Amino acid sequence: MSDDSPATSSAITGENEQEQPQSADNLSSKMEKMNISSSSFSIWPPTSRTRDAVINRLIETLSNPSVLSKRYGSIPSEEASSIAKSIEEESYDVAASKAAANSTSVSSIDEGIEILQVYSKEISTRMLAAVKSKGATPAPDPDASEISAPPESDRATVASEEVSSSIGNESSA
């Protein structure tokens, strides 16, 4: 026998439903409610483990089949490795100097999120520039119909989402 009473179903539903954060502002207030101080939790700077994960994800994106490699060609792993390290270091330096210009230290979660967004955008922009500069556009397939490339803004968004997903996966670990 199953108990399908409204009280039981609402209790189950209430236990399974969790509020999703609507903005960065909500993250700070939720942390306060959970009694987590910003001094014990930091968004910026990323840990070396996170930075290494970003580099590894960049190497994968540059050297393996992806949206970018379909348009510009892939880069050999050794070359992709040096390019990825350079992209990450330069992006980190830009974001760190922005953080330094804003204040002596990133004091709030919201400020950390803003700096992390700068870091992510720099990575995306530099990755796109790197693949474009290689100019390794693959030869067109004679059997394939002519397909136009997505607008540049779409390509940058895809690259940004790939990098952001690797940062999100590392920060939750």
Side-chain angles (χ1 to χ4, degrees):
M1 277 178 48
S2 67
D3 184 12
D4 292 330
S5 69
T8 304
S9 63
S10 65
I12 292 171
T13 306
E15 289 174 9
N16 291 333
E17 290 180 5
Q18 295 180 1
E19 290 182 28
Q20 296 297 321
Q22 299 298 319
S23 68
D25 297 331
N26 286 345
L27 181 60
S28 296
S29 64
K30 286 183 186 254
M31 287 179 62
E32 288 173 15
K33 289 178 184 176
M34 293 173 20
N35 220 8
I36 299 173
S37 70
S38 61
S39 62
S40 66
F41 181 77
S42 172
I43 298 290
W44 183 264
T47 64
S48 61
R49 182 177 164 199
T50 300
R51 291 182 69 187
D52 289 342
V54 168
I55 291 169
N56 289 333
R57 182 68 174 141
L58 281 167
I59 293 168
E60 285 178 30
T61 302
L62 294 171
S63 63
N64 293 328
S66 68
V67 172
L68 293 174
S69 69
K70 286 179 185 175
R71 173 74 172 130
Y72 299 105
S74 60
I75 299 172
S77 291
E78 301 79 31
E79 190 177 356
S81 179
S82 66
I83 291 171
K85 288 175 185 172
S86 174
I87 288 170
E88 193 283 331
E89 287 174 12
E90 292 170 5
S91 300
Y92 180 85
D93 290 344
V94 167
S97 52
K98 179 166 174 60
N102 286 350
S103 63
T104 54
S105 68
V106 179
S107 58
S108 77
I109 298 298
D110 295 339
E111 289 172 350
I113 290 171
E114 286 178 29
I115 300 301
L116 195 61
Q117 287 172 335
V118 169
Y119 174 65
S120 179
K121 184 171 174 74
E122 284 294 322
I123 288 171
S124 299
T125 302
R126 292 169 190 277
M127 180 173 53
L128 188 58
V131 296
K132 279 183 172 181
S133 72
K134 287 294 162 191
T137 304
D141 183 358
D143 296 331
S145 62
E146 188 66 30
I147 300 172
S148 64
E152 185 172 318
S153 62
D154 289 349
R155 291 191 304 265
T157 301
V158 169
S160 176
E161 288 171 355
E162 288 176 353
V163 171
S164 296
S165 70
S166 72
I167 291 172
N169 290 341
E170 279 300 309
S171 64
S172 65

